[in-house]
Amino acid sequence: MAEQKLFAGHAIKRLRRGAGVTQAAMAEMLDISPSYLNLIERNQRPLSATLLLRLAEQFDFDPRSLSADEPGGGTDAIRRRLADPMFADLEIDRTQVDEWLAAAPACAEAFARVFDRLRAGGTPAIEEVDSIGEVRREIARWRNHFADLDAQAEALADELRLGAGDLYGAIAERLRTRHQLSIRILPVDVMPDRLRRLDLHARQLQLSEMLDPASRTFAVGFQLAQNEARAEVEALVKGAGFTDRVAERLYRRHLLSYFAAALMMPYARFLRACEATGYDVELLQRRFGAGFEQVAHRLTTLQRVGARGLPFFMMRIDRAGQVSKRYGGASNAPLVESDGRCPLWVLHKAFDQPGRLMRQLVTLEDGTRWFTLARTVQPQGGRYGRVSAEFAVGLGVAASLGATLAVARGIDLDGEATPIGLGCRVCTRHDCPQRSAPPAGRAMLVNERERGLSPFSFAGD
């Protein structure tokens, strides 16, 4: 029986570029000549089943992904579009179309979509896709708790503990022995703009020397998730049903990060430590070798049936108040969902005292009360002479549940709380001196003979 063959030059090129290897390097890995690989990528030679198996072995991917639909429907479909009279003077032949599909398949697909929309009487308007919003809604649907990933990571963590007390060393050894991947720490001058890079040709996971121990452990855990939790992660990604590729990739990255954190902080052990220490974040950092932000995020995931932790929420903002992370977990906190924030919330004051854990009891207009924590964090990789990034991470839990928290000792959780809102445009507190804008939908009242605490007066209900 003859081997089944297919032309997938554009897919091979994407795979090679995604792995960060040259044509010569890939050809050596596949035991073919660089010139032959060049012909394959230009769709001038078919991809045999034998070569397909070699690709799957070397690059660890699903071979079915190479047989996806050709961009724009393939050469013939693109040529039918180019037969339109508006292109008659260009004299584009089949060879040029083949070369276009091989060199820039995404551009060909973009052309096909715009052309089809114009022929249908539409306009090629640019539609903004909120990829981050789609991912956030999917995470919220799961309440940021993925039971299967947690269970698998916990079992793997227990297995690794049997071999060594050092989690980083145990993961590195597993990557070496089971996946033929070695770890190499590179000087910042060699890898100036990357913190982590997978070099499949050298079979190396390369880490920047700028990573601290917690971040190094997380990085190797992330790689182990890619190797050993692929099926579970892909099932969750497929189940999300994203139509946007960027959202799909962002969600996949979140799930891999989730697994890495669960490997560092296995569910049962972490929950026991939380309850024994009164959710002492700084102590949990030391006990599990994790960073503040890693622990804060993990606290939002403790929703295992029969073994639930306190329902924390988490947010991360920059100095401009822009949110880069928000996880509500099971808290149902309006502070997480709102696009506006109040400058009276301690989260915004954390920047004034870098590295210090700040606490605050707040109350919203609806009467709900929240006990919140805030602290600044700095991303890995910062160097002198470059932009120094800084974020504030906020944690919160319903005040009624805060009595067991070590950090809440000495605070009367039923006492006076700071009144805050969800941003001036939706807040209707009349006596706030910090107000920067009137609430939307309320009539402004301007009185030249008197001035209240707030620069804006407005009609009430």
Side-chain angles (χ1 to χ4, degrees):
M1 181 183 296
E3 287 186 327
Q4 183 179 359
K5 301 179 181 180
L6 62 92
F7 289 88
H10 64 285
I12 298 298
K13 181 177 290 187
R14 284 203 306 272
L15 178 65
R16 177 174 62 78
R17 289 177 174 173
V21 297
T22 63
Q23 276 191 341
M26 176 180 261
E28 182 181 347
M29 296 169 73
L30 299 175
D31 196 24
I32 59 176
S33 68
S35 59
Y36 186 65
L37 177 59
N38 181 265
L39 292 173
I40 290 175
E41 290 192 356
R42 292 165 58 192
N43 276 338
Q44 294 182 9
R45 290 291 185 277
L47 183 65
S48 67
T50 302
L51 199 53
L52 182 61
L53 289 175
R54 289 183 198 166
L55 278 163
E57 291 172 356
Q58 291 289 338
F59 293 89
D60 195 20
F61 73 102
D62 184 356
R64 291 172 298 180
S65 65
L66 294 184
S67 60
D69 291 340
E70 289 281 318
T75 302
D76 291 338
I78 292 290
R79 291 193 71 201
R80 282 196 295 272
R81 296 180 178 94
L82 291 173
D84 189 280
M86 76 171 82
F87 305 123
D89 62 317
L90 299 179
E91 299 180 355
I92 301 173
D93 60 24
R94 186 184 188 90
T95 301
Q96 288 175 295
V97 175
D98 287 338
E99 290 175 350
W100 185 24
L101 288 173
C107 293
E109 176 64 22
F111 160 77
R113 293 182 186 182
V114 171
F115 182 87
D116 292 345
R117 180 173 294 184
L118 286 171
R119 287 293 298 270
T123 59
I126 298 176
E127 297 180 358
E128 182 177 355
V129 178
D130 182 11
S131 304
I132 295 176
E134 285 189 31
V135 172
R136 186 167 63 84
R137 286 187 288 273
E138 182 65 14
I139 294 171
R141 188 172 72 86
W142 286 89
R143 293 193 168 190
N144 201 22
H145 174 70
F146 302 92
D148 290 344
L149 290 184
D150 250 315
Q152 183 179 357
E154 189 170 29
L156 181 55
D158 288 341
E159 182 181 343
L160 293 172
R161 281 181 70 206
L162 296 176
D166 171 28
L167 181 60
Y168 172 81
I171 296 176
E173 179 65 12
R174 191 178 183 95
L175 287 173
R176 185 185 69 81
T177 57
R178 292 208 177 188
H179 306 288
Q180 293 73 55
L181 281 175
S182 61
I183 310 297
R184 187 177 180 186
I185 309 299
L186 292 179
V188 67
D189 295 334
V190 176
M191 200 161 66
D193 57 351
R194 294 288 185 275
L195 296 177
R196 169 177 56 85
R197 180 172 60 201
L198 178 62
D199 186 337
L200 284 171
H201 179 57
R203 303 302 297 176
Q204 283 183 350
L205 176 61
Q206 300 168 348
L207 305 179
S208 169
E209 63 179 345
M210 299 299 292
L211 291 175
D212 63 22
S215 298
R216 288 187 186 182
T217 303
F218 185 86
V220 295
F222 186 93
Q223 182 59 51
L224 192 59
Q226 289 183 295
N227 287 89
E228 300 199 12
R230 181 184 299 271
E232 291 76 9
V233 167
E234 290 306 318
L236 288 166
V237 171
K238 183 178 180 180
F242 293 119
T243 56
D244 175 45
R245 291 289 299 277
V246 173
E248 182 179 296
R249 289 174 178 174
L250 285 172
Y251 188 51
R252 181 180 293 109
R253 185 175 70 181
H254 174 82
L255 295 173
L256 293 170
S257 297
Y258 185 102
F259 187 94
L263 196 60
M264 293 175 67
M265 296 167 275
Y267 194 100
R269 274 191 282 145
F270 186 73
L271 179 58
R272 285 197 300 269
C274 287
E275 294 174 341
T277 65
Y279 291 82
D280 188 325
V281 178
E282 294 178 342
L283 184 54
L284 292 170
Q285 283 182 249
R286 289 162 177 76
R287 186 167 296 185
F288 290 91
F292 179 84
E293 187 173 336
Q294 291 170 343
V295 172
H297 182 195
R298 186 62 169 145
L299 288 174
T300 70
T301 69
L302 303 180
Q303 298 303 311
R304 177 177 286 178
V305 175
R308 299 185 189 276
L310 292 181
F312 280 90
F313 69 81
M314 171 198 163
M315 290 186 68
R316 190 182 75 173
I317 66 169
D318 60 17
R319 282 185 176 271
Q322 300 171 114
V323 180
S324 50
K325 288 184 179 181
R326 59 172 100 201
Y327 301 113
S331 68
N332 296 318
L335 287 164
V336 176
E337 297 304 321
S338 173
D339 290 327
R341 273 158 304 286
C342 181
L344 298 179
W345 188 15
V346 73
L347 179 62
H348 297 272
K349 299 179 181 179
F351 293 105
D352 298 333
Q353 301 184 54
R356 179 187 172 191
L357 186 63
M358 306 179 73
R359 54 188 187 169
Q360 184 186 36
L361 184 65
V362 300
T363 179
L364 300 178
E365 282 192 275
D366 62 4
T368 57
R369 297 161 63 87
W370 302 87
F371 180 69
T372 65
L373 306 172
R375 206 201 84 171
T376 58
V377 296
Q378 290 185 307
Q380 298 291 299
R383 300 175 63 193
Y384 292 112
R386 294 191 176 185
V387 173
S388 180
E390 188 178 36
F391 297 92
V393 171
L395 270 173
V397 68
S400 60
L401 303 175
T404 60
L405 300 181
V407 74
R409 291 168 189 162
I411 294 181
D412 181 4
L413 296 176
D414 295 319
E416 185 176 355
T418 303
I420 67 172
L422 301 177
C424 290
R425 297 299 286 168
V426 297
C427 178
T428 59
R429 297 188 190 277
H430 280 271
D431 55 352
C432 179
Q434 184 67 61
R435 180 174 287 282
S436 298
R442 298 298 176 95
M444 284 277 291
L445 302 177
V446 181
N447 189 334
E448 297 176 353
R449 291 178 294 179
E450 57 183 50
R451 164 80 153 73
L453 292 176
S454 172
F456 299 99
S457 297
F458 49 90
D461 293 323

